[in-house]
Amino acid sequence: MKSIVLFGAGNVATHLFSALSAAEGYKVIQVYNHQKERLEEFKDKVPVTSDFTEVFPADIYILALKDEAIPLLAEKLLFKEALMLHTSGSTPLSVFENFSKKGILYPLQTFSKNKAVDFKAVPLCIEAGNDQQLQEIKELAEQLSEKVFEISSEQRKALHLAAVFVSNFSNYMYSLGDEICRENDLPFEILHPLILETALKATGMAPADAQTGPAKRNDFNIIESHLSLISGERKKIYQLLTESIRQLHGKEL
Amino acid sequence: MKSIVLFGAGNVATHLFSALSAAEGYKVIQVYNHQKERLEEFKDKVPVTSDFTEVFPADIYILALKDEAIPLLAEKLLFKEALMLHTSGSTPLSVFENFSKKGILYPLQTFSKNKAVDFKAVPLCIEAGNDQQLQEIKELAEQLSEKVFEISSEQRKALHLAAVFVSNFSNYMYSLGDEICRENDLPFEILHPLILETALKATGMAPADAQTGPAKRNDFNIIESHLSLISGERKKIYQLLTESIRQLHGKEL
């Protein structure tokens, strides 16, 4: 049985804690967070602390923290023989340069506090200091998820960028659609099935092949009519994306 | 039993034909398309024609055609007493000005030829020449779908614009993510669960409240690091969307 101290109390830490509690061969022996009040929901399940000097010795330390907190804590942690892991998409492995055993366990999913997630289906991107450590991290990761990928720091950076496009920017497109609906007394739920089907389609075929719409069709009448309805930021976004889609699909002719 | 002639053989026409075949009180008596070869898949199920002079008299004509074909056919159709319907998101009702009974039946979904769609869950936006005709169209629409919305021509135009943002532009974000993955030897399937969860989240809460990512957090380190990885169109898109998200969420402070 390997002992784990988990750092963090945010969305990733919360969902990771649940997944770790169900993992065989591992036990979370403590959760640390610098804000005591954030530990409320953990304290009936596991020893907690917000005092750094009280952190238990353990086999594995997992830092499920904001990016900027990871180097600060890595500097303070004195258990140099333990396996150090963090869960960040954008922090390099070198943040643990003073530790002999280190790796990354990056869950590529968007977590909400009160929404259950099937962690077994969450892609886990792992990286390690060496092959032996990779094996150790893989064993842990495979207890948590059925989708484990070995990803280098450089690839992880690109993956995080791709995730911004497919998740943060897509969500922003939804929010612009929502605004347009509100302004026109339209319930946004009319668009829900379209949003879900568009996402589902992109997981069954290459998204470039699934592209539809006036930009793809070079339908200037519709494009002009849409542009006449919007101004400011929205217009700039509509124009730039339309032009970019036209360039991509124009090239294919 | 009301008789229907369906015009068109594309994705919308194909899925609509299946839904109409299951509707009680209605019967598709003919499918017209100007390209004979496109009628192949219909000809075992229903009389078909690509000769305009052979179009049957019917109670209802549904034009499930490309936008530019609708006014051309509306001009040629001589059954002035029938109920005329089209399925376009961007063609006004006035295209049927020479007909006494007219309306719109706009299914707000993305259809693929070989992918089954539960038509009962497809939002149908309807509009009519007057209240009595609205009733007639509503009866038909409710046979096809459980989600029927009364939408004016002006609202429909805004809805179509919103659909471009939430569907066409979101899909383009997926395709940029796909490109970044390919360039970095990453399987795009790593991003599938994130894409689906992001879409699902936006149907359970306001998308603006679901916004996450470096732009929302004002995380300039990550933004700079992402910008250093991209150039050209992608960089312009990343910058514009990041700036726009920052403005939206900055205002909320």
Side-chain angles (χ1 to χ4, degrees):
Chain A
M1 179 73 77
K2 286 182 181 169
S3 57
I4 297 175
V5 173
L6 179 63
F7 285 73
N11 292 341
V12 174
T14 306
H15 289 282
L16 191 56
F17 178 78
S18 301
L20 285 167
S21 302
E24 271 178 49
Y26 299 89
K27 188 175 174 55
V28 179
I29 56 165
Q30 191 179 40
V31 174
Y32 167 92
N33 196 63
H34 75 293
Q35 289 176 291
K36 201 176 172 183
E37 61 277 17
R38 304 278 312 269
L39 292 165
E40 276 299 311
E41 63 184 294
F42 294 96
K43 70 177 189 189
D44 293 339
K45 301 171 195 158
V46 61
V48 297
T49 185
S50 54
D51 179 348
F52 199 81
T53 64
E54 285 180 357
V55 170
F56 294 161
D59 298 314
I60 304 172
Y61 292 85
I62 303 181
L63 277 54
L65 298 163
K66 284 183 185 162
D67 290 347
E68 57 272 25
I70 296 171
L72 302 177
L73 268 170
E75 210 167 285
K76 287 209 275 182
L77 272 167
L78 297 172
F79 306 99
K80 300 297 180 197
E81 301 310 310
L83 174 62
M84 301 297 300
L85 298 174
H86 73 67
T87 60
S88 159
S90 41
T91 304
L93 188 58
S94 58
V95 73
F96 293 136
E97 58 181 347
N98 294 325
F99 296 85
S100 53
K101 291 172 69 184
K102 56 205 159 207
I104 284 153
L105 194 69
Y106 168 43
L108 192 54
Q109 184 52 286
T110 173
F111 297 104
S112 313
K113 202 87 181 184
N114 297 314
K115 194 166 178 299
V117 160
D118 175 13
F119 213 94
K120 287 272 171 203
V122 172
L124 276 181
C125 304
I126 62 169
E127 188 183 352
N130 64 34
D131 283 353
Q132 198 192 327
Q133 293 163 24
L134 185 68
Q135 206 45 47
E136 196 177 337
I137 296 165
K138 206 170 183 174
E139 275 168 29
L140 168 60
E142 285 174 350
Q143 278 291 318
L144 303 174
S145 168
E146 282 159 11
K147 295 182 176 179
V148 177
F149 298 87
E150 290 177 42
I151 302 287
S152 71
S153 278
E154 201 178 340
Q155 282 179 312
R156 188 159 36 83
K157 218 168 143 181
L159 195 55
H160 188 244
L161 171 66
V164 167
F165 279 98
V166 307
S167 177
N168 304 154
F169 290 168
S170 284
N171 184 73
Y172 188 55
M173 298 300 119
Y174 304 153
S175 102
L176 292 174
D178 186 20
E179 284 176 15
I180 293 168
C181 284
R182 280 169 207 264
E183 291 163 15
N184 291 278
D185 280 330
L186 292 160
F188 186 56
E189 61 162 302
I190 304 191
L191 292 168
H192 286 177
L194 179 63
I195 286 173
L196 293 172
E197 181 68 16
T198 303
L200 199 61
K201 220 169 171 176
T203 67
M205 64 201 288
D209 294 336
Q211 190 67 53
T212 57
K216 164 78 188 292
R217 295 195 308 271
N218 270 323
D219 189 333
F220 293 109
N221 287 335
I222 303 272
I223 292 168
E224 283 306 317
S225 131
H226 283 168
L227 288 174
S228 74
L229 296 176
I230 45 178
S231 58
E233 287 290 303
R234 277 183 213 168
K235 191 166 198 158
K236 274 195 253 174
I237 292 168
Y238 189 102
Q239 282 171 319
L240 181 59
L241 296 181
T242 292
E243 194 44 47
S244 185
I245 293 170
R246 288 190 52 234
Q247 279 181 28
L248 175 68
H249 290 280
K251 273 185 227 149
E252 285 175 359
L253 292 175
Chain B
M1 181 72 81
K2 288 181 179 167
S3 57
I4 298 174
V5 173
L6 180 63
F7 285 74
N11 292 341
V12 173
T14 306
H15 289 281
L16 191 57
F17 177 78
S18 301
L20 286 167
S21 302
E24 271 178 49
Y26 299 90
K27 187 173 173 58
V28 179
I29 57 166
Q30 191 180 39
V31 174
Y32 167 93
N33 196 65
H34 75 290
Q35 288 176 292
K36 200 175 173 183
E37 61 276 19
R38 304 279 310 270
L39 291 164
E40 276 299 311
E41 62 184 295
F42 294 96
K43 68 175 191 191
D44 293 340
K45 301 171 195 156
V46 62
V48 297
T49 185
S50 53
D51 179 348
F52 199 81
T53 64
E54 286 180 358
V55 170
F56 294 162
D59 298 313
I60 304 172
Y61 292 84
I62 303 181
L63 277 54
L65 299 162
K66 283 183 186 165
D67 290 346
E68 57 272 25
I70 296 171
L72 302 176
L73 267 170
E75 210 166 287
K76 287 207 274 182
L77 271 166
L78 297 171
F79 306 99
K80 300 297 180 198
E81 300 310 310
L83 174 62
M84 302 296 300
L85 299 174
H86 73 67
T87 60
S88 158
S90 41
T91 304
L93 188 57
S94 58
V95 73
F96 294 138
E97 56 181 347
N98 293 324
F99 296 85
S100 53
K101 291 172 67 184
K102 55 204 158 204
I104 285 153
L105 194 70
Y106 168 45
L108 191 55
Q109 186 51 287
T110 173
F111 297 104
S112 313
K113 202 89 182 180
N114 297 314
K115 194 165 177 299
V117 160
D118 174 12
F119 213 93
K120 287 272 172 203
V122 172
L124 275 182
C125 304
I126 62 169
E127 188 182 351
N130 63 32
D131 283 354
Q132 199 193 326
Q133 291 164 25
L134 185 68
Q135 206 44 47
E136 196 176 337
I137 296 165
K138 206 171 185 176
E139 274 167 28
L140 169 59
E142 285 173 351
Q143 278 290 320
L144 303 174
S145 167
E146 283 159 12
K147 294 181 175 179
V148 177
F149 298 86
E150 289 178 41
I151 301 287
S152 71
S153 278
E154 202 179 339
Q155 282 179 312
R156 188 159 36 83
K157 217 168 146 183
L159 194 56
H160 189 242
L161 172 65
V164 167
F165 278 97
V166 307
S167 177
N168 303 153
F169 290 168
S170 284
N171 185 72
Y172 188 55
M173 297 300 119
Y174 305 153
S175 101
L176 293 174
D178 187 20
E179 284 177 13
I180 293 167
C181 283
R182 280 169 207 263
E183 291 162 14
N184 290 278
D185 280 330
L186 292 160
F188 185 56
E189 61 161 303
I190 303 192
L191 291 170
H192 286 177
L194 179 63
I195 286 173
L196 294 172
E197 181 68 16
T198 303
L200 200 61
K201 221 170 170 176
T203 68
M205 65 201 288
D209 295 336
Q211 190 66 54
T212 57
K216 164 77 188 294
R217 294 194 308 271
N218 269 322
D219 190 333
F220 292 110
N221 287 334
I222 303 273
I223 293 168
E224 283 307 316
S225 129
H226 283 168
L227 288 173
S228 74
L229 295 176
I230 46 181
S231 58
E233 287 290 304
R234 277 184 214 170
K235 191 167 198 158
K236 273 196 254 174
I237 292 167
Y238 189 103
Q239 282 170 319
L240 181 59
L241 296 181
T242 293
E243 192 47 45
S244 185
I245 292 170
R246 287 189 53 233
Q247 277 181 28
L248 175 68
H249 291 279
K251 273 186 229 151
E252 286 175 358
L253 292 178

